[in-house]
Amino acid sequence: MISFEINNETVSYDGLEDTPLLWVLRDHFKLKGTKYGCGVGSCGACTVHLDGKAMKSCTTRISRVEGRRVTTIEGLAASPTELHPVQQAWIAEDVPQCGYCQAGQIMTAADLLHRNPNPSDEDIARKMTNICRCGTYVRIRKAIHRAAGQMAEET
């Protein structure tokens, strides 16, 4: 039995220890926001936070999360009516086109801003390695700068 926290709720999983976290989230806990993209940790569609740090859930075995804290896109917002500043900026900048990669993009951007509250364009390019087939990279960068500004105003 593997016990851990998902979005501030303690949960347990009694299954194969080498199951990727992605499939435990999607199939066992029915959290569908985290997407399957490539299965090898290259595209970033499956990005979640593990103990506050962005990581690829498709290549993280469930055994690695014992006693740890997982945050998915469903748990990023403070409440259903109070979105995270990155989510607010994504809406304001009309970032998504098809939307498939956006949960992973948002989770990666939130981690970036947690570690670097005022990133340059170069910082964003270096950290935001998630793939967007629709090519919304310019809007993603604008949204990250907007969220950084909003977060700075709130502190």
Side-chain angles (χ1 to χ4, degrees):
M1 179 87 58
I2 297 167
S3 296
F4 58 104
E5 193 176 286
I6 299 176
N7 301 332
N8 299 316
E9 180 182 335
T10 302
V11 298
S12 298
Y13 175 73
D14 190 17
L16 298 175
E17 292 185 1
D18 65 344
T19 303
L21 174 60
L22 171 65
W23 300 120
V24 173
L25 294 172
R26 289 183 59 81
D27 295 343
H28 186 76
F29 293 106
K30 307 300 183 207
L31 295 168
K32 304 294 185 178
T34 305
K35 304 294 190 226
Y36 172 79
C38 67
V40 295
S42 293
C43 75
C46 68
T47 303
V48 298
H49 293 174
L50 182 60
D51 293 333
K53 184 175 184 201
M55 47 76 63
K56 311 294 189 328
S57 63
C58 74
T59 57
T60 302
R61 301 294 173 226
I62 191 64
S63 59
R64 279 197 51 216
V65 304
E66 172 72 41
R68 298 176 79 182
R69 183 174 38 93
V70 175
T71 305
T72 68
I73 190 71
E74 291 91 346
L76 187 63
S79 74
T81 59
E82 186 181 341
L83 295 178
H84 187 279
V86 173
Q87 292 169 309
Q88 293 174 30
W90 242 247
I91 293 166
E93 295 297 338
D94 197 24
V95 173
Q97 192 164 317
C98 83
Y100 195 83
C101 71
Q102 297 306 308
Q105 300 276 6
I106 289 169
M107 296 303 285
T108 302
D111 179 57
L112 166 64
L113 291 175
H114 175 73
R115 295 175 196 299
N116 181 353
N118 188 24
S120 66
D121 284 347
E122 293 77 26
D123 295 331
I124 293 169
R126 197 171 21 261
K127 176 67 175 177
M128 296 298 298
T129 59
N130 296 27
I131 296 169
C132 175
R133 289 186 61 181
C134 300
T136 64
Y137 301 110
V138 172
R139 293 191 308 245
I140 288 169
R141 186 173 51 250
K142 274 183 78 175
I144 291 170
H145 285 301
R146 178 187 282 263
Q150 179 182 341
M151 293 167 79
E153 288 176 11
E154 291 174 359
T155 57

